[in-house]
Amino acid sequence: MDDIQPAIREIADITVDYGIRKYHTYKRSATIIRFPELEVVRIGSCYELVADVLRRHFKVELPEDPGTDANPSGHLQEFALPDLSAG
């Protein structure tokens, strides 16, 4: 649990640590999808399984994983800057 930032631990109601997942992909953490927008924030472990379930059962197409060589962290907008023009 030491790798979770203290600010995140403070706002969480519960923290569960099961250790390394069965399908752990090194260099990538868990897949994160923003709901209800269905926007992929981070491509992580088991991403292809999550994408397959959403495609087959809900007709939702997620972007393809470019692979760990092209995007080691899996973050799709890691370096995105906020839009400051609306101010």
Side-chain angles (χ1 to χ4, degrees):
M1 302 256 202
D2 294 338
D3 58 337
I4 300 173
Q5 297 172 353
I8 301 296
R9 285 196 312 257
E10 287 176 20
I11 62 172
D13 290 326
I14 187 171
T15 305
V16 179
D17 183 359
Y18 286 104
I20 293 179
R21 294 167 309 283
K22 180 178 179 181
Y23 300 105
H24 179 74
T25 301
Y26 290 96
K27 297 185 183 178
R28 287 193 174 170
S29 191
T31 294
I32 299 174
I33 299 174
R34 181 175 289 125
F35 288 91
E37 300 87 356
L38 291 172
E39 175 188 5
V40 177
V41 176
R42 181 172 64 203
I43 295 172
S45 62
C46 298
Y47 179 76
E48 65 283 349
L49 299 175
V50 171
D52 181 56
V53 167
L54 290 176
R55 180 177 37 260
R56 287 187 299 117
H57 295 285
F58 303 102
K59 308 292 188 245
V60 172
E61 292 290 332
L62 298 182
E64 278 197 42
D65 181 354
T68 55
D69 289 340
N71 186 344
S73 72
H75 285 276
L76 297 185
Q77 298 183 22
E78 185 170 4
F79 301 107
L81 298 174
D83 182 8
L84 302 176
S85 64

